[in-house]
């Protein structure tokens, strides 16, 4: 089937089988920042943003279902050379080690902060509990999301990436 | 035209002890990491595997005809096809051999039976689903204690008559080896004479490292050049190249192993797996690159499990709590093939560190390994070869002893610690501990958590019927394998190499035979070199994982990178500095003897104003070398460590227990680690957070279990439980620093300490909470139900 | 893991969806959130020949109060419920459930109606729907019908939806000021199926006695169950700890769980009891009734 969707702001026409998982379609389109870590919708490393405000595990959606929708992946977070505050904060707080969960974790956090711009530590842990990390023990990921929340709330400066 | 002299003033020397941010993050945070599945080659085929539904069965027939009819399927191979290439069996790291594809029978559920190659991943999956295999189920061996019963089914018919294996005599077709250390007679005598004795049985259950990136491989045989390039999720690319050469008979110079970015390893990515071999064989046969990436089920059911040690311990002590002797018997369940990843001489790894941080005068340990109908493995899962099992055993047992003596577990430990003046300390089981200050580390931890107040609180709560517990673990690790006199894998000595090339403009590339998977080598190796050479840390690039370019080394696992390659890196830098000194003398127009290295510069002895930077020296090495001196500024150093290193730590855990459901809530966890010299405190803390989380997971969730038919009960992440951010406790970390006296920078390694040391702290805390109900031990994972059983049988109930 | 091939239909209207369902009958499966179906297809445990994707149907994402009922269309996602301030302030049981289904990311796709139609023995929404006495609105070749939840939920993975039919809405009675509820679930970790869970809803009389109680338990039998005896025990009584104990005990009695890695039958039965008890205490506390 032919599908048309937007990925990171640019329109893509993809040819897929109905059974092609969205994550495979995204990766086959050259955007390999979105990873695959399980078959049971458990790990969340494939998390992408659907239509701006919704996080989905892209292994649990068929590519054909993305017809007419807008997908944002980790590759769409930075504005040119300027990192998104979440990317900057993950780096600053040592919120990643092997990096495999990082794109999904950042996308999940991105959606979390849209629904709750100033989350408590407990709310961050709750909100990211659909995403597994084997390296960091989550503590620095939580700190990174807290830093990003602050950066995003600063009136000028860091929030000027919009 | 001559090269213009650049600005040679270093601006960012960031050496040891600096919490600089990681260099490798840049690509990962923008989604530009390059993991195995991100690599796509022109004309690449996909491979999928067919797996056995039975744990033990004869294969009567394999029908591939339907699979071959599926559009896009190029080929299907079975053991018969591999036999033609001499590859139906491969040697394991433990001196055994294992089937690549099931050869006549299957020995564990999910064992690989056939490989399907196709043009798309869909066709490969459809092909695998269409292969028809006829099985005749056989009786299974699941319980290791029943493996060597006289009437037990014979698992390994290929070696059933061989009454001797790689590690000595075998007493039963399902017995692999028996290994012992220490003096049995003297230990038994000392135990018999001890005033107090405890005995405890405990199981360290089968676990799996489960990195989030599964294993995978791309075989790429270039028939025109005869060169085989193998992209592989491997923690040990050089060893893999050598093994591949030996197995395939392809000359080693014609094999290039590239280990791209690795999405976590934890020991899972050390061995050679059947899938790798099939992808490589497929490429050789089909003349196209072949990619295989595990499903999560394949990962959890067929590749490198860990632990599965069934342990019995006996400890003797005086009435006032001084330990006298320890005797250990362990039954090790190795699955269907002995593929444990241990140094050759040590089939039970470094389990003999089981005397821990305590001054045992007599000790004896025996380990027996048996075959069962389970996947092979025995990898060092965030562990330096069975150290995790050993540490758990001793730390759990010290609490059992404290309980028996009615003594505070902290006090018992303080009474028995090896004292600082005893180092280098020869342990009863043959190790020479390098350094440590156990008392200091424990006292820091107790102070930090407020131990005495907590004990008071516990007493008050207990009086009110509330349940809280405090658990301590004061472990000693043994890492950094290892000195070549004792340590090799398949005969290859376990030294490690580092190469440094300093460029004319004061930047450098450094390479090592290790392969990081999140440990931060791209930053920490640069820091060592920055420290030793006075170069800007930002101008040092670190490269690992390509056997064509990196110096030989045995890889990254068992907390060995810093003790081995880290040492190599420092010594390579010092070798460069020796040469640089000659160039500096030339530039300063003094004799070499009049030059000293001060404040990361060469200066004329006693004349601080007269100095040159390493950058200036580097430039001169290429533009103005002293007459008679070999130009250039680069070197390779192979470091053969003189001893292992012995990191230690003191962990204290506080738990509260829900009387209604049996849920254990970790309220606090303080981890004070001593890993010697710290290269980057931020990275060390990150390693500790991660390791504690895996220790927590083992204590409460992770288990690879089987039913009586040998069915695997944890074949995906809905059944094999990894903690999320919500369950994971908040960690409180800290350090003491007791440098290793023999390591070039005094570092000991830290990646595994928290996984090794923490499980006992969790279990000790839970048992402590229930001790007054008569509980002495609970095996991991501590589920709510196990606690609930204790509560209800004690008549405790609550909403 | 790759699902087996299937034919994909993307109807743009309810009529079109129903006509696909009529045409393909048992070969077709409705794809709403897909958070249970797609993983099952990846493992090839489910291999439907035709998927009818209803995600593009118009006007099924509504949440509205109508005729004393809160109506959730078939495309209301768990997060729509979870993030709704109105739900949080007034529908305590439903709000509780919406926060513990699967995991936070799955909840962005998963639908309430889809979960009820799936009727997994461990489903969270089924227990809640039982406790709240929900109704299902169904459309089919024979037109529309509304069914009480007890008749809708038939058996493990089975509902009263017939061939060619589709559930379009779930309706929860609007709670009055004297009604509250709670959902108590234990799971081994986020994302795991419940080891046991209990949904309770309590309506008080102005005199403080219990007017009506609804109790559903899940993960402890072949499907979610109503604990009728407990409801009877509570009805008309003044809430006390003894009363709650007696009611909770009924949950233990009727629970008939399969032992698995989550626990033995004995444990799960006891948890059904504990969780019903806790749920009642929490619901009453939300009504400012503290049962010590």
């Amino acid at each position: 089937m032919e599908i048309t969707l937007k990925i990171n702001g640019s329109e893509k026409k993809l040819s897929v089988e109905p059974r092609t998982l969205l994550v495979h379609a995204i990766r086959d389109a050259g955007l390999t920042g979105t990873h695959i870590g399980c078959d049971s919708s458990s790990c969340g490393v494939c998390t992408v943003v659907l239509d701006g405000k919704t996080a989905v595990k892209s292994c649990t959606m068929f590519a054909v279902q993305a017809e007419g929708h807008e997908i944002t992946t980790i590759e769409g977070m930075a504005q040119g050379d300027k990192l998104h505050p979440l990317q900057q904060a993950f780096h600053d707080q040592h919120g990643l080690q092997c990096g495999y969960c990082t794109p999904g974790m950042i996308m999940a956090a991105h959606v979390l902060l849209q629904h709750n711009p100033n989350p408590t530590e407990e709310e961050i842990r709750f909100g990211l509990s659909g995403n597994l990390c084997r390296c960091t023990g989550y503590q620095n990921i939580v700190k990174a999301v807290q830093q990003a929340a602050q950066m995003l709330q600063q009136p000028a400066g860091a929030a000027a990436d919009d | 035209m001559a090269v213009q002299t650049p600005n040679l003033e270093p601006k960012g020397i960031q050496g040891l002890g600096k919490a600089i941010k990681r260099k490798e993050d840049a690509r990962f945070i923008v989604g530009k990491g390059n993991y195995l599945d991100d690599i796509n080659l022109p004309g690449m085929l996909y491979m999928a595997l067919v797996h056995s539904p039975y744990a033990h069965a004869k294969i009567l027939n394999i029908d591939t005809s339907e699979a071959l009819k599926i559009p896009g399927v190029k080929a299907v191979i079975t053991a018969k096809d591999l036999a033609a290439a001499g590859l139906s069996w491969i040697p394991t790291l433990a001196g055994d051999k294992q089937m690549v594809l099931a050869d006549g029978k299957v020995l564990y559920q999910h064992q690989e039976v056939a490989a399907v190659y196709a043009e798309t991943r869909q066709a490969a999956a459809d092909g695998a689903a269409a292969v028809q295999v006829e099985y005749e189920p056989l009786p299974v061996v699941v319980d290791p204690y029943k493996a060597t019963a006289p009437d037990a089914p014979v698992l390994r018919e290929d070696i059933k008559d061989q009454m001797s294996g790689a590690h000595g005599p075998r007493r039963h077709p399902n017995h692999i080896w028996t290994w012992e250390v220490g003096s049995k007679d003297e230990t038994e005598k000392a135990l018999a004479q001890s005033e107090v004795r405890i005995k405890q049985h405990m199981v360290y259950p089968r676990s799996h490292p489960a990195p989030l990136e599964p294993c995978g491989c791309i075989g790429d045989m270039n028939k025109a050049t005869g060169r085989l390039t193998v992209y592989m999720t491997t923690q040990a690319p050089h060893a893999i190249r050598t093994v591949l050469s030996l197995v395939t008979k392809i000359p080693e110079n014609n094999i290039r192993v590239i280990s791209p970015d690795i999405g976590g390893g934890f020991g899972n990515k050390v061995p050679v797996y059947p899938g790798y071999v099939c992808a490589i064989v497929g490429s050789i046969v089909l003349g196209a690159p072949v990619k295989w990436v595990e499903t999560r089920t394949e990962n959890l059911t067929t590749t490198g499990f860990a632990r599965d040690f069934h342990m019995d311990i006996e400890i003797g002590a005086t009435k006032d709590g001084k330990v006298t002797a320890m005797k250990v018997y362990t039954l090790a369940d190795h699955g269907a093939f002995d593929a444990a990843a241990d140094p050759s001489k040590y089939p039970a790894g470094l389990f003999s560190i089981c005397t821990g941080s305590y001054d045992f005068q007599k000790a004896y340990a025996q380990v027996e390994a048996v075959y069962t109908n389970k996947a092979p493995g025995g990898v060092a899962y965030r562990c330096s070869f069975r150290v995790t099992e050993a540490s758990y055993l001793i730390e759990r047992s010290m609490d059992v002893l404290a309980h028996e003596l009615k003594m505070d577990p902290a006090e018992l430990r303080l009474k028995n610690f090896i004292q600082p003046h005893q180092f280098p300390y020869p342990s009863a089981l043959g190790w020479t501990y390098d350094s440590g200050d156990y008392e200091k580390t424990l006292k820091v931890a107790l102070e930090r958590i407020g131990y005495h107040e907590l004990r008071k609180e516990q007493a008050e709560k207990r009086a009110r019927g509330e349940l809280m517990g405090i658990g301590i673990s004061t472990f000693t690790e043994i890492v950094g394998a290892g000195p070549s006199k004792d340590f090799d894998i398949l005969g290859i000595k376990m030294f490690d190499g580092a190469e440094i090339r300093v460029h004319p403009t004061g930047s450098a590339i450094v390479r090592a035979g290790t392969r990081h998977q999140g440990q931060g080598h791209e930053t920490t190796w640069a820091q060592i070199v920055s420290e030793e050479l006075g170069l800007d840390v930002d101008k040092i690039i670190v490269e690992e994982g390509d056997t064509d370019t990196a110096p030989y080394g045995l890889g990254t696992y068992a907390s060995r990178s810093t003790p081995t390659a880290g040492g190599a890196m420092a010594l390579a830098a010092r070798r460069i500095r020796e040469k640089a000194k000659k160039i500096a003398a030339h530039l300063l127009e003094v004799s070499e003897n009049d030059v000293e290295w001060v404040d990361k510069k060469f200066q004329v002895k006693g004349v601080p104003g007269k100095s040159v930077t390493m950058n200036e020296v580097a430039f001169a090495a290429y533009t103005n070398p002293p007459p008679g001196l070999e130009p250039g500024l680069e070197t390779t150093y192979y470091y053969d460590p003189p001893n292992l290193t012995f990191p230690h730590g003191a962990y204290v855990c506080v738990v509260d227990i829900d009387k209604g459901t049996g849920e254990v809530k970790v309220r606090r966890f303080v981890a004070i680690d001593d890993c010697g010299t710290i290269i980057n405190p931020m990275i060390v803390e990150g390693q500790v957070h991660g390791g504690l989380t895996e220790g927590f997971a083992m204590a409460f969730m992770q288990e690879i279990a089987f039913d009586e038919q040998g069915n695997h009960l944890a074949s995906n992440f809905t059944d094999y439980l990894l903690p999320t951010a919500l369950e994971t406790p908040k960690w409180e970390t800290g350090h003491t620093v007791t440098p290793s006296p023999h390591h070039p920078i005094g570092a000991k390694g830290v990646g595994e300490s928290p996984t090794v040391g923490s499980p006992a702290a969790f279990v000790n805390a839970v048992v402590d909470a229930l001790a007054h109900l008569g509980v002495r031990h609970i095996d991991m994972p501590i589920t709510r139900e196990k606690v609930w059983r204790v509560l209800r049988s004690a008549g405790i109930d609550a909403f | 893991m790759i699902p087996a091939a299937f034919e994909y239909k993307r109807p743009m209207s309810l009529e079109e969806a129903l006509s696909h369902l009529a045409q393909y009958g048992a070969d077709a499966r409705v794809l709403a959130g897909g958070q249970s179906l797609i993983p099952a297809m990846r493992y090839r445990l489910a291999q439907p020949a035709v998927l009818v994707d209803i995600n593009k149907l118009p006007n099924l994402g509504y949440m509205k109060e109508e005729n004393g009922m809160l109506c959730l269309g078939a495309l209301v996602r768990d997060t729509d419920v979870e993030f709704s301030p109105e739900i949080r302030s007034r529908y305590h049981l439903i709000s509780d459930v919406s926060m513990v289904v699967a995991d936070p990311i799955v909840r962005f796709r998963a639908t309430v109606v889809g979960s009820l139609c799936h009727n997994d023995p461990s489903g969270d929404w089924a227990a809640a729907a039982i406790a709240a006495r929900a109704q299902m609105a169904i459309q089919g070749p024979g037109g529309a019908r509304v069914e009480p939840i007890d008749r809708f939920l038939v058996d493990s993975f089975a509902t009263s939806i017939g061939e060619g039919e589709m559930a379009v809405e779930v309706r929860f009675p609007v709670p009055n000021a004297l009604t509250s509820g709670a959902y108590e679930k234990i799971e081994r970790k986020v994302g795991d199926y419940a080891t046991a869970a209990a949904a309770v809803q309590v309506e008080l009389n102005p005199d403080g006695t219990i007017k009506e109680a609804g109790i559903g338990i899940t993960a402890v039998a072949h499907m979610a169950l109503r604990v009728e005896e407990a409801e009877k025990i509570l009805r008309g009584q003044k809430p006390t700890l003894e009363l709650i104990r007696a009611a909770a005990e009924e949950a233990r009695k009727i629970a008939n769980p399969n032992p698995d890695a989550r626990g033995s039958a004995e444990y799960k039965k006891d948890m059904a009891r504990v969780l019903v008890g806790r749920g009642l205490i929490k619901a009453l506390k939300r009504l400012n009734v503290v049962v010590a």
Side-chain angles (χ1 to χ4, degrees), chain B residues 48-59:
Chain B
L49 294 166
V50 177
H51 298 275
S52 167
Y54 295 103
H56 194 196
K58 225 192 253 176
I59 294 181

Side-chain angles (χ1 to χ4, degrees), chain B residues 269-283:
Chain B
K269 292 168 180 169
V270 171
V272 175
Y273 295 124
Y276 296 163
V277 177
C278 291
I280 292 164
V281 168
S283 178

Side-chain angles (χ1 to χ4, degrees), chain C residues 231-277:
Chain C
E231 294 174 353
K232 272 190 210 158
I233 286 173
L234 294 166
R235 224 170 266 142
Q237 302 297 312
K238 198 171 158 46
T240 63
L241 202 53
E242 282 64 49
L243 185 76
I244 290 170
R245 264 207 199 101
E249 180 59 25
E250 295 302 322
R252 197 189 61 74
K253 279 191 206 157
I254 68 159
N256 183 23
N258 282 326
D260 62 13
R262 290 173 189 84
S264 65
E266 197 190 352
Y267 177 67
K268 291 180 183 183
K269 280 168 80 73
D270 195 42
M271 288 308 101
R273 177 186 67 88
V274 168
L275 297 175
V276 165

Side-chain angles (χ1 to χ4, degrees), chain B residues 475-655:
Chain B
F475 63 95
T476 287
E477 258 216 294
I478 173 170
V479 308
S484 63
K485 64 181 191 305
D486 290 324
F487 290 92
D488 69 87
I489 286 181
L490 294 174
I492 305 162
K493 302 293 187 182
M494 295 183 76
F495 53 79
D496 256 87
E499 180 200 73
I500 301 175
R501 297 180 177 188
V502 182
H503 307 318
T505 54
S507 59
I509 183 165
V510 308
R511 296 188 173 106
T514 44
R515 181 61 181 110
H516 66 89
Q517 315 121 41
Q519 294 90 339
H521 295 176
E522 292 180 35
T523 307
T524 49
W525 291 170
Q527 283 182 266
I528 292 176
V529 172
S530 182
E531 172 81 27
E532 296 288 341
L533 293 183
L535 295 174
D536 287 338
V537 80
D538 287 346
K539 292 187 181 161
I540 301 165
I541 189 166
V542 174
E543 217 180 70
E544 294 181 331
D546 182 343
T547 57
D548 267 11
T549 56
Y552 206 92
L554 268 266
T556 295
Y557 43 87
S559 275
R560 66 185 299 280
S561 294
T562 296
T564 60
M569 198 60 73
L571 293 176
R574 286 174 200 174
R575 190 179 272 170
I576 284 194
R577 210 162 69 199
E578 275 170 40
K579 181 173 179 182
K581 192 176 181 189
K582 295 184 203 301
I583 301 169
H586 168 67
L587 294 176
L588 293 165
E589 296 175 324
V590 293
S591 95
E592 198 189 329
N593 289 335
D594 291 329
V595 175
E596 58 183 355
W597 177 253
V598 181
D599 292 339
K600 301 191 170 58
K601 272 186 251 181
F602 290 109
Q603 75 171 39
V604 177
K605 274 184 188 161
V607 191
K610 211 166 172 214
S611 64
V612 288
T613 64
M614 186 61 79
N615 288 4
E616 290 167 304
V617 168
F619 194 67
Y622 295 89
T623 60
N624 175 24
L629 188 72
E630 180 190 0
L633 199 58
E634 57 183 67
T635 195
T636 304
Y637 195 103
Y638 285 95
Y639 177 60
D640 185 2
N643 189 8
L644 296 133
T645 61
F646 296 75
H648 66 277
Y651 295 170
V652 190
C653 173
V654 186
V655 300

Side-chain angles (χ1 to χ4, degrees), chain B residues 673-697:
Chain B
D673 272 285
D674 192 325
C675 59
T677 303
I678 291 172
I679 301 169
N680 182 322
M682 177 194 80
I683 287 176
V684 166
E685 189 190 45
Q687 291 290 305
V688 172
H689 287 171
L692 291 174
T693 304
E694 294 201 46
F696 167 78

Side-chain angles (χ1 to χ4, degrees), chain B residues 361-381:
Chain B
Q361 290 304 305
K362 302 288 176 203
Y364 169 75
Q366 187 189 76
V367 183
E368 277 200 290
V370 295
Y371 292 122
T372 60
N373 287 118
K374 298 173 194 168
V379 299
Y381 167 19

Side-chain angles (χ1 to χ4, degrees), chain C residues 20-121:
Chain C
H20 287 312
L21 293 173
Q23 183 184 346
Y24 296 104
D27 291 340
R29 289 288 297 269
V30 172
L31 175 62
Q35 301 300 289
S36 296
L37 179 58
I38 295 174
M41 290 174 68
R42 292 183 73 189
Y43 285 102
R44 299 197 177 195
L45 299 171
Q47 300 197 18
V50 180
L51 275 194
V52 179
D53 179 0
I54 62 166
N55 283 279
K56 295 271 185 191
L57 299 196
N59 307 325
L60 281 179
Y62 56 82
M63 294 201 285
K64 59 184 181 196
E65 284 182 3
E66 214 171 70
N67 304 324
M69 300 295 265
L70 169 73
C71 305
L72 307 182
L75 288 176
V76 169
R77 316 279 169 181
D78 290 346
T79 41
D80 295 332
V81 180
E82 181 182 356
F83 296 157
S84 159
E86 293 78 37
I87 300 273
R88 185 166 299 184
S89 65
R90 294 171 52 218
Y91 293 86
H92 302 151
L93 167 60
I94 294 172
S95 173
D96 278 5
V97 174
S98 74
M99 295 176 74
V100 295
V101 177
D103 71 48
I105 310 299
V106 167
R107 291 198 292 271
F108 276 107
R109 281 304 279 171
T111 63
V112 180
V113 170
S115 165
L116 290 166
C117 292
H118 186 49
N119 200 15
D120 187 295

Side-chain angles (χ1 to χ4, degrees), chain B residues 126 658 661 727 785 788, chain C residues 44 189-190 264 267 270 278:
Chain B
D126 291 348
D658 180 330
T661 62
E727 297 88 25
E785 177 163 355
W788 169 86
Chain C
R44 299 197 177 195
K189 54 160 284 193
V190 173
S264 65
Y267 177 67
D270 195 42
R278 285 187 178 180

